[in-house]
Amino acid sequence: MKRETKTKKYVMKTVEIAFAAIFGILNLLPIFWGVVTSLKNPREINAFPPKILGFLPTIEHYEKILSSGFFRCIINSVVYAGLAIALGVLLGYLAGYGFARRNFPLKKLAFFLIVVGIPLSTGSSVLLIPNYMYLMNLKMANHWFTMPLIYTAYNLPMATWLLISGIKAVPGELEEAALIDGANQRYIVTRLIPPLVKPSIAAAALFIFIGAWNDYITASVLVTGNELKNIQMAIYDYMGFFGQEWGPLTASATCAVIPILLVFTFLGKQLVSGLTAGAVKG
Amino acid sequence: MKSGKKRREWLGGFYVVPAMALLIMLLIIPLLYTVYCGFFQYKYMMKGNYVGLDNYIYCLTDSTTRNAFLTTLLVTIAATVISIVVGLILALWIDKRGGFFAYIIELIGLVPWVISMVVAGLLWRWLFNGDLGLFNVILKFFGLDPIYVIQNKVSAVIALIFVMSWRTIGYAMILILAGLKGLDGSLLEAAKVDGATAVQSLFRIKLPLIKSQVLLATIVLTVSNFTNNTVPKVLTSGGPVNATNVITLEQYNLSFIYYEFGKSSALSVLIMLVVTIIIACYIKVARYEI
């Protein structure tokens, strides 16, 4: 009897490990294989059977894309994401404070806009044609500020949402005590609260970064030309340009994935808790 | 004193004004503007005559659009169901395990969701590629005939559903896991003491209690899959022969290939209506409070 349960436990454990392995391989294989391909020379890429390891790595594909304007697109994406994070965190923080601490007219309606904005901008392609028509007519498309503004707007609902719950978690007595000590409102908003809600600010920044860095479709209709192209647009355009040359294609994909995975490794915890932290009331 | 406090509360509204201004400018007004545009004929961006509901009638009767809608429905439902079912199983599994192991699985699960859809589409396209793709290399290794996944109508649809589910399984898992972590442990303990089997406590206690969490994950994924056009655009480009031409690709093509902005505006409004219905369910389930 005892031995039987022991074997059963053993089998369960093996099944579990196998399950975890399959899950890990399925999730990471595309990226792994992309990186491997990007480091092979064209002859190795076309070789059958393909080598997983033990080939002479080359950076020729990286040199090729970097010499064809890819670096400019990386910089554009960095600038777009940076501006969107700065503006989004600032506006989201102020709005979060207002929602968490004050009762003002039309508060319910304003909050409704935040709640609706989250799913609306996840499917940003709903807003694709509307924003194209609208910004074209206002002559607001094709500027350096077009994409940062759009990315801020698309990710602001989520950022505000995260900051509301962050600020709500700070006890109100703290503010009252500061007021009694003679602090003014400006001190409270600019000095007292921000250090206390650092994790929420980090989570908000992270969500804006992912949204801005990964967007392809919105940028592809709102900006044109090499000066304004972002990294995802560059990768997509390479698919037409390089066709079946998988070396440069996977090299550009690798470049786009590295910063995301870096940020994700260090702030993964914030991301997981941001996704779940009171996102819903059961 | 009291009026001073009231004034302070009123002035509190100014904190949200900048954010609201941006959202109204870039989310709300464009949507209303599209509703307006949908009633006119367009030649590229030049507004023509008022045509009433013609654009809408076109979208509802045109066979390409209708097929695109049916394809979208199939892909959306299939991908969402797969993500939720697998995500639920994974969540139940790692909730039981807990600890560092669970954290690693969570992180690995989210990788497909944090990388861009262009990159994900491209990498899978490479894996599914003709003779050199890893998928066919593996098939050959086992002595099987290669499958040209993207070139074949049926397998292209399956590949699209596969990649879309692959992207969101981890995300579904995280959302459902949050529900499981919020469960009252003493309840499960009590059931165990009363002699409930693992299966019983799963179906009678766990699942009913995380129902709304699962429902919310389903709704979020439905919206996201329904409006996803990047993955189909990169993975299959709508082909072969329109087999994976989803509604958002049709909308994109109407605008930027045929320059029929009146029709594409009407189609955008129709897509928006579907999304609005789904979001209404979302708000109902989430029961937000402020």
Side-chain angles (χ1 to χ4, degrees), chain A residues 16 103 125 137 214 280 282, chain B residues 9 33 93 114 116 216 227 287:
Chain A
E16 216 172 18
N103 276 312
S125 61
N137 274 327
N214 283 346
V280 280
Chain B
E9 295 286 343
Y33 181 60
W93 171 47
V114 292
S116 82
L216 272 176
T227 58
R287 281 179 303 184

Side-chain angles (χ1 to χ4, degrees), chain B residues 4-213:
Chain B
K5 183 158 195 277
K6 202 169 176 191
R7 208 175 126 231
R8 202 177 73 127
E9 295 286 343
W10 256 80
L11 286 174
F14 280 103
Y15 285 112
V16 306
V17 167
M20 286 303 134
L22 191 71
L23 292 184
I24 290 169
M25 248 176 56
L26 290 176
L27 299 187
I28 305 302
I29 296 178
L31 287 180
L32 297 177
Y33 181 60
T34 314
V35 175
Y36 170 80
C37 292
F39 293 119
F40 292 87
Q41 195 177 26
Y42 270 82
K43 270 220 165 75
Y44 186 53
M45 294 294 285
M46 297 291 290
K47 199 172 84 179
N49 297 328
Y50 172 80
V51 291
L53 290 173
D54 280 8
N55 289 330
Y56 288 90
I57 292 167
Y58 167 84
C59 292
L60 292 170
T61 52
D62 177 63
S63 68
T64 320
T65 317
R66 205 168 37 212
N67 284 338
F69 182 74
L70 292 176
T71 309
T72 315
L73 214 59
L74 169 73
V75 171
T76 303
I77 293 174
T80 306
V81 169
I82 293 171
S83 288
I84 294 293
V85 171
V86 179
L88 178 65
I89 294 169
L90 287 170
L92 287 168
W93 171 47
I94 66 170
D95 180 50
K96 223 166 78 184
R97 285 294 305 257
F100 186 67
F101 174 81
Y103 179 61
I104 292 296
I105 294 283
E106 280 179 41
L107 281 191
I108 291 175
L110 273 182
V111 166
W113 186 77
V114 292
I115 67 172
S116 82
M117 292 192 260
V118 171
V119 169
L122 174 106
L123 292 175
W124 278 109
R125 204 181 160 131
W126 168 221
L127 289 171
F128 287 141
N129 182 54
D131 288 308
L132 294 169
L134 195 59
F135 180 71
N136 277 331
V137 169
I138 293 170
L139 285 188
K140 260 191 235 169
F141 180 80
F142 286 109
L144 297 164
D145 286 334
I147 302 171
Y148 299 112
V149 179
I150 308 297
Q151 278 86 340
N152 180 298
K153 268 187 166 188
V154 178
S155 60
V157 175
I158 294 173
L160 182 60
I161 293 170
F162 170 78
V163 174
M164 282 170 82
S165 343
W166 171 81
R167 230 178 70 73
T168 53
I169 281 173
Y171 179 76
M173 171 185 81
I174 298 283
L175 288 187
I176 295 170
L177 195 63
L180 285 170
K181 279 183 178 155
L183 284 187
D184 187 1
S186 61
L187 213 64
L188 293 163
E189 207 56 46
K192 210 170 176 182
V193 171
D194 286 344
T197 62
V199 178
Q200 274 175 329
S201 71
L202 172 65
F203 282 99
R204 296 282 170 84
I205 301 172
K206 278 189 187 171
L207 290 185
L209 284 177
I210 57 164
K211 199 175 64 191
S212 56
Q213 212 79 30

Side-chain angles (χ1 to χ4, degrees), chain A residues 107-148:
Chain A
K107 187 178 177 182
K108 279 224 158 86
L109 189 69
F111 185 67
F112 184 73
L113 191 57
I114 298 288
V115 171
V116 172
I118 295 174
L120 199 62
S121 38
T122 5
S124 57
S125 61
V126 179
L127 295 161
L128 191 67
I129 307 301
N131 268 327
Y132 176 79
M133 308 270 297
Y134 175 70
L135 294 175
M136 275 295 186
N137 274 327
L138 290 179
K139 308 247 181 300
M140 292 252 294
N142 262 321
H143 293 288
W144 63 270
F145 55 80
T146 310
M147 294 329 293

Side-chain angles (χ1 to χ4, degrees), chain A residues 81 151 154-155 205-216 260, chain B residues 114:
Chain A
Y151 292 147
Y154 282 3
N155 296 295
L206 185 61
F207 273 90
I208 301 172
F209 174 71
I210 293 174
W213 183 266
N214 283 346
D215 170 71
Y216 160 70
I260 284 281
Chain B
V114 292

